[in-house]
Amino acid sequence: MTVYEAAGEATLREIVADFYRQVPEDEILGPMYPAEALAAAEQRLCGFIIYRFGGPQTYIEERGHPRLRMRHAAFRIDQAARDRWVELMDAAIARQDLAEEIATPIREFLHESATFLINVG
Ligand code: HEM
């Protein structure tokens, strides 16, 4: 069973929605995200996560290969930005009633990807 099937699409969407509800008020991440396009940004991250955890490939159809390092090159992602991103995601995941064996792979993937996206020393 995929994480997508085990968690359900609605739960994955709610995690991302929860994350984006926290972004505008955040002093590190708030200024990095396009305030006028937060809904579109939420859709992109949702689509990516759904695809990555075994759901429909809509993200790939719409955006092509994720190329996440390249797509984050315009943003200054240091350790503090990475840590805050992870912190908001962990809080969103914790607010869902997920079994540990489902929450753990989601957290691990997001933590590792976030570390990989650090692009300033
Ligand atoms: C490390 C901290 C991170 C920061 C500061 C950050 C910041 C951003 C920002 C500002 C955007 C532009 C919003 C938009 O218009 O789409 C973005 C896009 C995106 N981010 Fe991140 N991000 C981080 C980590 C991650 C991680 C860990 C993932 C995946 C697991 C991810 C996946 C995406 C995706 C899929 C997009 C849309 C790419 C596209 O199709 O154009 N990001 N990110």
Side-chain angles (χ1 to χ4, degrees), residues 19-20 23 28-34 37-38 40-49 52-53 59 62-68 71-72 74-86 89 106 109-119:
F19 172 82
Y20 273 101
V23 162
I28 299 178
L29 300 181
M32 296 175 76
Y33 283 83
L38 270 190
E42 181 179 328
Q43 275 308 110
R44 288 189 276 273
L45 186 56
C46 255
F48 174 76
I49 283 176
R52 180 57 185 71
F53 286 110
Y59 175 85
E62 289 175 354
R63 305 291 293 165
H65 188 282
R67 296 188 294 171
L68 288 185
R71 283 185 170 143
H72 288 78
F75 314 114
R76 197 190 140 78
I77 303 182
D78 57 12
Q79 184 72 44
R82 177 264 176 218
D83 290 349
R84 184 60 59 81
W85 196 98
V86 160
M89 270 299 181
I106 298 174
F109 169 71
L110 295 177
H111 291 193
E112 283 162 21
S113 312
T115 303
F116 167 75
L117 292 176
I118 293 174
N119 56 20

Side-chain angles (χ1 to χ4, degrees), residues 2-110:
T2 62
V3 167
Y4 172 80
E5 287 166 333
E9 179 166 326
T11 299
L12 295 180
R13 285 190 180 279
E14 178 48 29
I15 290 168
V16 175
D18 185 330
F19 172 82
Y20 273 101
R21 283 196 292 274
Q22 301 172 75
V23 162
E25 298 291 298
D26 188 86
E27 73 275 16
I28 299 178
L29 300 181
M32 296 175 76
Y33 283 83
E36 70 295 344
L38 270 190
E42 181 179 328
Q43 275 308 110
R44 288 189 276 273
L45 186 56
C46 255
F48 174 76
I49 283 176
I50 286 168
Y51 139 75
R52 180 57 185 71
F53 286 110
Q57 309 247 332
T58 316
Y59 175 85
I60 303 296
E61 284 155 22
E62 289 175 354
R63 305 291 293 165
H65 188 282
R67 296 188 294 171
L68 288 185
R69 285 268 308 174
M70 192 208 77
R71 283 185 170 143
H72 288 78
F75 314 114
R76 197 190 140 78
I77 303 182
D78 57 12
Q79 184 72 44
R82 177 264 176 218
D83 290 349
R84 184 60 59 81
W85 196 98
V86 160
E87 194 184 317
L88 300 194
M89 270 299 181
D90 280 353
I93 293 165
R95 281 190 277 272
Q96 297 302 310
D97 195 18
L98 284 171
E100 250 334 287
E101 66 265 29
I102 303 166
T104 300
I106 298 174
R107 267 198 305 269
E108 283 177 354
F109 169 71
L110 295 177

